[in-house]
Amino acid sequence: SQQGEEDPQALSIQEGENATMNCSYKTSINNLQWYRQNSGRGLVHLILIRSNEREKHSGRLRVTLDTSKKSSSLLITASRAADTASYFCATDDDTGGFKTIFGAGTRLFVKA
Amino acid sequence: EPEVTQTPSHQVTQMGQEVILRCVPISNHLYFYWYRQILGQKVEFLVSFYNNEISEKSEIFDDQFSVERPDGSNFTLKIRSTKLEDSAMYFCASMKWDSGELFFGEGSRLTVL
């Protein structure tokens, strides 16, 4: 299966702390993305990292990619209560088809 | 800001009935997707569509499912004969080009009784 698998499944932190979520996947990829989903809502794209990149930043988000270990991490710095959501990694494989596969997600709860 | 819109937001149907879920992707996007999410579970890929034909489909997307882009703006998912296990949120997504970034609608909640 191409799916990414997130770790941990759930994470509870205090506002101001950093949150780190990890994702592992199984096959070669073109890119890896992170999405956010508020409860009952659609997914929102956060950041995309290509297979030839190792690190990417966007505001308070930092994503790393280690293709040798087939893993990625998402770091949210200085978390806020509004960051409470589920976070999913998603991968596009390198077979040329259009098939973005999502992992099971990490549920992040930031306590005010 | 352009967005993907989905209708209906919630549909309740009896088992065995046909259901059509509608999506209007962002107007200059070329790639279209349907996903489903059973409550509290993972987001599952159903099908992708490009150049008026199915590009990829999952094992879930069996003969009971079909997709259509009938008029250049709408993108529909039809479930021919619904089962209880089809109850889920169905998300439509579109992508401008092969950039990888998917734009999602807010979903259609399907409840099969």
Side-chain angles (χ1 to χ4, degrees):
Chain A
S1 164
Q2 174 62 37
Q3 289 173 331
E5 296 298 332
E6 286 89 341
D7 163 53
Q9 291 185 323
L11 181 61
S12 181
I13 59 174
Q14 290 291 138
E15 207 166 30
E17 293 180 340
N18 295 343
T20 299
M21 289 159 267
N22 302 297
C23 167
S24 60
Y25 57 91
K26 295 181 180 174
T27 64
S28 296
I29 59 171
N30 280 329
N31 63 63
L32 185 142
Q33 305 169 59
W34 285 90
Y35 287 79
R36 167 194 167 124
Q37 184 184 35
N38 286 4
S39 182
R41 307 291 301 275
L43 285 83
V44 176
H45 183 264
L46 296 176
I47 195 165
L48 179 150
I49 186 165
R50 300 207 179 275
S51 59
N52 61 353
E53 297 176 306
R54 291 296 166 258
E55 188 170 312
K56 204 159 181 182
H57 296 254
S58 176
R60 293 185 295 114
L61 305 180
R62 173 178 167 252
V63 169
T64 62
L65 179 64
D66 186 337
T67 52
S68 67
K69 294 181 180 175
K70 292 187 168 59
S71 68
S72 173
S73 67
L74 171 68
L75 169 67
I76 304 174
T77 60
S79 64
R80 305 166 182 165
D83 294 328
T84 295
S86 291
Y87 292 83
F88 296 87
C89 70
T91 52
D92 282 355
D93 65 25
D94 60 358
T95 62
F98 303 107
K99 190 175 182 180
T100 302
I101 301 297
F102 286 79
T106 293
R107 295 178 67 181
L108 174 65
F109 181 65
V110 182
K111 293 177 277 189
Chain B
E1 187 172 322
E3 58 182 21
V4 176
T5 57
Q6 291 187 239
T7 55
S9 56
H10 188 193
Q11 180 154 359
V12 180
T13 190
Q14 294 291 325
M15 193 169 55
Q17 295 295 305
E18 176 183 283
V19 160
I20 297 176
L21 305 178
R22 291 183 168 79
C23 170
V24 179
I26 296 172
S27 63
N28 60 350
H29 284 196
L30 301 176
Y31 304 85
F32 314 109
Y33 299 73
W34 282 101
Y35 288 85
R36 80 172 186 192
Q37 185 179 34
I38 295 170
L39 184 64
Q41 298 186 26
K42 59 174 60 175
V43 178
E44 298 175 294
F45 171 81
L46 291 178
V47 66
S48 60
F49 193 86
Y50 169 67
N51 202 25
N52 287 318
E53 61 183 27
I54 290 174
S55 175
E56 299 274 353
K57 61 182 181 179
S58 71
E59 313 77 54
I60 302 167
F61 194 87
D62 61 20
D63 292 345
Q64 293 300 311
F65 290 87
S66 62
V67 288
E68 205 174 38
R69 189 161 159 80
D71 56 13
S73 61
N74 290 286
F75 180 51
T76 62
L77 174 69
K78 181 193 289 186
I79 309 175
R80 221 176 309 278
S81 176
T82 49
K83 308 183 187 80
L84 295 176
E85 54 265 36
D86 293 328
S87 294
M89 280 289 278
Y90 288 81
F91 291 103
C92 173
S94 68
M95 185 168 69
K96 187 173 185 178
W97 55 69
D98 193 13
S99 65
E101 180 180 351
L102 295 175
F103 290 78
F104 280 82
E106 290 295 325
S108 292
R109 180 178 301 279
L110 175 65
T111 302
V112 182
L113 302 175

